């Protein structure tokens, strides 16, 4: 478990050293990849804390310690994907329980809730969580969980985490925050009163577009024990090599995030001033409705943004999407390389068009995941694609 000393250090120092004591058997500075399914016992029940690798694996244990440290929580749990982590949280519930979920959230979360868990008798109520009063009004005696994502994908809406925590506490419900878009470097929901933080570690935590993984972090021991029981019983655990990759990613999270944020600032300013661009959705722009709350609960504004052209048609957007040379046309986000995406036909194609339009997700919307390249090249690339 994390020591108090670690928590006193600066964020970057924590990230480099999180979960990384030298291996006691060899002195290896990097956590070894324990590629094993089982562990030899001295006598039945007498072991070194490891029995079978679905229940515990030393590489995963080190990663789980690191996850707790970087989210300033007591306990971390790693899962085989972000949606597997979400799946574990919903398995805390029983038929008849109600969940208040953000109306504007990751499509895969929406699909898991509506297409899988509704069949098990769990009720999901979708609310605009940027509207605190609307969330308060949706609370009933059956509300067990509030599920929030901030900033959202792809509209960059901001929800007030501390306000949600207040509502959840009053309702005796849990608050879970999907912190994937911000990353622990920019935002720590547990500090703001959330009960559980969820990550798609696939994105900024790994940072190199080479692994699928998820994470949960919490403070409450009882909640940790319940979620650990689900992790072990349902079995959506990541392999040791994937745990090693995420541990390695965490070491450079602060350095990467600083460049993602700097690129965000420069590209947002460029797009904002470009004559062909209509709206820019980035929480660091003062014109963004969530700007004040983002400033309050985030350290900086990140490298995810969306924009529309004055010609807000699919044809005009596709022209830009297929003309970039530095930006690659792909789904996903949070890697060192910049990506460009067309939400209407790619990441958000499963959401009906009328529903999409209600949240502002038009056929012309373009989403960017800014990598850590030099901003001059990113701007030059967008400039030639817009021309
Ligand atoms: C990618 C993503 C997920 C799902 O994570 P996977 O690792 O792909 O399973 C959940 N939430 C957000 C915000 C994401 O971007």
């Amino acid at each position: 478990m994390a020591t108090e000393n670690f928590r006193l250090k600066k964020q970057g120092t924590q990230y480099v050293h999180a979960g990384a004591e030298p291996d006691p058997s060899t002195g290896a500075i990097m956590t070894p990849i324990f590629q094993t399914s089982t562990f030899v016992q001295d006598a039945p029940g007498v072991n070194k804390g490891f029995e079978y690798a679905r229940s515990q694996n030393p590489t995963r244990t080190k990663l789980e310690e690191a996850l707790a440290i970087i989210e300033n929580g007591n306990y971390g749990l790693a899962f085989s994907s972000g949606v597997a982590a979400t799946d574990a949280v919903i398995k805390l519930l029983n038929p008849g329980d109600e969940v208040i979920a953000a109306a504007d959230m990751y499509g895969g979360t929406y699909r898991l809730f509506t297409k899988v868990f509704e069949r098990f008798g769990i009720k999901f109520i979708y609310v605009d969580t940027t509207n605190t009063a609307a969330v308060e009004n949706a609370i009933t005696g059956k509300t067990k969980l509030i599920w929030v994502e901030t900033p959202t994908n792809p509209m960059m809406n901001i929800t007030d985490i501390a306000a949600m925590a207040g509502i959840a506490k009053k309702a005796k419900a849990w608050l879970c925050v999907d912190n994937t878009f911000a990353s622990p470097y920019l935002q720590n929901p547990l500090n703001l009163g959330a009960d559980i933080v969820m990550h798609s570690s696939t994105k900024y935590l790994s940072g190199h577009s080479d692994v699928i993984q998820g994470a949960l972090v919490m403070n409450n021991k009882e909640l940790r024990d319940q979620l650990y029981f689900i992790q072990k019983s349902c079995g959506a655990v990541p392999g040791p090599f994937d745990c090693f990759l995420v541990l390695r990613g965490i070491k450079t999270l602060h350095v990467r995030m600083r460049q993602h944020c700097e690129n965000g600032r420069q590209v947002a300013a460029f797009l904002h001033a470009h004559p062909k661009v209509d709206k820019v959705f980035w929480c660091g722009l003062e014109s963004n409705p969530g700007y004040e709350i983002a400033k309050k609960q985030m350290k900086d504004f990140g490298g995810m943004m969306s924009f529309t052209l004055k010609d807000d048609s699919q044809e005009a957007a596709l022209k830009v999407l297929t003309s970039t040379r530095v930006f690659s046309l792909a789904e996903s986000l949070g890697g060192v390389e910049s990506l460009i995406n067309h939400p209407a036909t790619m990441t958000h194609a499963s959401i009906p068009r009328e529903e999409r339009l209600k949240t502002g997700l038009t056929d012309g919307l373009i989403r960017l995941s800014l990598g850590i390249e030099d901003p001059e090249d990113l701007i030059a690339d967008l400039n030639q694609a817009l021309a």
Side-chain angles (χ1 to χ4, degrees), residues 161-235:
I161 297 172
M164 292 298 118
I167 296 171
K169 192 160 239 151
K170 227 167 89 190
K172 294 192 164 53
W174 289 303
L175 172 65
C176 183
V177 178
D178 181 339
N179 203 28
T180 301
F181 262 48
S183 90
Y185 177 74
L186 297 182
Q187 177 171 280
N188 299 119
L190 297 179
N191 292 0
L192 300 164
D195 299 286
I196 308 171
V197 178
M198 176 263 163
H199 278 282
S200 168
S201 317
T202 310
K203 317 293 167 54
Y204 287 109
L205 292 186
S206 101
H208 293 76
S209 309
D210 52 11
V211 66
I212 296 283
Q213 201 173 120
L216 299 176
V217 184
M218 60 247 96
N219 281 323
N220 182 294
K221 171 81 165 58
E222 220 171 289
L223 194 52
R224 183 266 171 199
D225 289 346
Q226 286 181 52
L227 287 163
Y228 171 66
F229 180 80
I230 292 166
Q231 181 200 40
K232 166 174 91 169
S233 304
C234 300

Side-chain angles (χ1 to χ4, degrees), residues 222-269:
E222 220 171 289
L223 194 52
R224 183 266 171 199
D225 289 346
Q226 286 181 52
L227 287 163
Y228 171 66
F229 180 80
I230 292 166
Q231 181 200 40
K232 166 174 91 169
S233 304
C234 300
V237 291
F241 181 62
D242 287 357
C243 292
F244 170 87
L245 286 176
V246 175
L247 263 172
R248 187 168 73 163
I250 287 170
K251 290 177 194 298
T252 56
L253 179 63
H254 55 300
V255 184
R256 288 185 282 112
M257 287 313 297
R258 285 177 201 145
Q259 189 65 35
H260 287 302
C261 292
E262 179 55 24
N263 287 351
R265 232 179 313 281
Q266 294 205 26
V267 171

Side-chain angles (χ1 to χ4, degrees), residues 79-86 105-109 147 149-153 178-182 198-203 211-215 304 332-333 367:
F79 291 84
S80 54
S81 68
V83 294
T86 304
M105 63 181 181
Y106 179 69
T109 307
W147 185 279
E149 187 181 318
T150 181
T152 60
N153 175 16
D178 181 339
N179 203 28
T180 301
F181 262 48
M198 176 263 163
H199 278 282
S200 168
S201 317
T202 310
K203 317 293 167 54
V211 66
I212 296 283
Q213 201 173 120
M304 291 301 301
S332 198
L333 61 114
R367 188 187 84 179

